[in-house]
């Protein structure tokens, strides 16, 4: 597959620019080379991607010259939704108050995190909710975790080169120590 960055849709990002280890692209063609009819937007970790060069750049040029109409359609595809992703954190909360704590976390995730970066989400949760035993959302303690926090964000909706979250969910997970 040949991937191109959405430079026309997001002019603040350069072609093939890697942003916070995410590369957002749309699929132009397969290795045949024949244009793909798919209009999906993909995002990948940049560690699995390489810039277009050599044979792959020639492949793009070949598709562009042999299928000019499809190439124009490819270039004109716009996304109608944000490109959503999520990141998960395991934490430890007081077992005998778990559901109440999860309800409070879910309330804050639904009502207070929109537009906040990771540091501010972490502060919001740890300062406003008693019963979270973990010292951070990136728990490096030896505590057995019993809750999961999944934070949603728009891959392209960053401020000051930091992802901003748009919601999330806290869930109870099994812990053998309870």
């Amino acid at each position: 597959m040949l991937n191109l960055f959405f430079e026309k849709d997001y002019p603040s990002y350069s072609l093939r620019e890697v942003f916070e280890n995410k590369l957002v692209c749309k699929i132009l063609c397969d290795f045949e080379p024949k244009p793909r009819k798919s209009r999906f937007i993909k995002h990948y970790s940049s560690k699995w991607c390489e810039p277009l060069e050599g044979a792959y750049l020639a492949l793009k040029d070949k598709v562009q010259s042999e299928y000019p109409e499809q190439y124009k359609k490819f270039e004109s595809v716009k996304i109608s939704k944000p490109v959503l992703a999520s990141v998960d954190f395991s934490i430890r909360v007081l077992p005998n108050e778990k559901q109440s704590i999860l309800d409070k976390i879910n309330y804050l995730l639904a009502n207070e995190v929109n537009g906040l970066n990771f540091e501010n989400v972490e502060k919001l949760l740890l300062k406003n909710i008693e019963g979270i035993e973990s010292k951070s959302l990136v728990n490096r303690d030896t505590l057995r975790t019993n809750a999961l926090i999944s934070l949603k964000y728009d891959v392209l909706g960053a401020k000051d080169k930091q992802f901003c979250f748009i919601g999330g969910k806290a869930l109870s997970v099994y812990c053998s120590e309870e």
Side-chain angles (χ1 to χ4, degrees):
M1 291 183 288
L2 185 61
N3 301 318
L4 291 177
F5 192 81
F6 259 93
E7 82 258 34
K8 290 184 175 42
D9 300 323
Y10 298 96
S12 62
Y13 301 107
S14 300
L15 179 65
R16 298 179 233 149
E17 180 179 353
V18 175
F19 180 75
E20 294 289 316
N21 295 323
K22 297 285 184 193
L23 180 70
V24 178
C25 55
K26 52 188 171 181
I27 308 298
L28 171 62
C29 66
D30 54 23
F31 291 110
E32 297 301 320
K34 290 187 179 181
R36 300 230 358 224
K37 293 182 182 178
S38 170
R39 298 291 186 252
F40 295 108
I41 285 77
K42 302 280 187 182
H43 63 91
Y44 302 96
S45 170
S46 62
K47 67 182 178 181
W48 306 112
C49 300
E50 295 177 1
L52 287 177
E53 56 190 20
Y56 296 115
L57 197 53
L59 186 63
K60 178 200 84 85
D61 293 339
K62 183 175 181 178
V63 170
Q64 187 175 6
S65 66
E66 290 183 11
Y67 302 94
E69 290 302 311
Q70 287 93 329
Y71 191 83
K72 281 182 188 177
K73 286 180 184 177
F74 169 78
E75 282 192 315
S76 68
V77 172
K78 304 282 185 203
I79 62 172
S80 59
K81 300 179 194 177
V83 179
L84 297 180
S86 65
V87 61
D88 298 333
F89 302 98
S90 295
I91 62 169
R92 175 76 180 180
V93 300
L94 293 172
N96 58 340
E97 299 177 33
K98 187 193 297 191
Q99 192 54 55
S100 172
I101 294 167
L102 294 177
D103 290 343
K104 291 174 187 173
I105 293 171
N106 280 322
Y107 176 82
L108 289 178
L109 293 177
N111 298 294
E112 302 292 330
V113 300
N114 198 15
L116 296 180
N117 64 21
F118 174 79
E119 182 180 310
N120 290 328
V121 170
E122 184 177 53
K123 284 179 187 175
L124 176 76
L125 297 176
L126 297 177
K127 283 186 177 182
N128 291 300
I129 300 176
E130 290 185 32
I132 298 177
E133 294 182 314
S134 299
K135 293 179 175 80
S136 68
L137 294 186
V138 182
N139 187 16
R140 293 189 172 93
D141 300 338
T142 57
L143 295 172
R144 298 281 185 193
T145 60
N146 61 358
L148 174 78
I149 296 177
S150 183
L151 299 173
K152 287 192 308 185
Y153 62 97
D154 179 357
V155 173
L156 298 175
K159 293 179 190 169
D160 300 322
K161 298 204 176 213
Q162 292 187 5
F163 290 121
C164 298
F165 296 99
I166 57 174
K169 184 86 174 148
L171 305 165
S172 174
V173 295
Y174 173 76
C175 180
S176 62
E177 292 186 2
E178 291 180 8

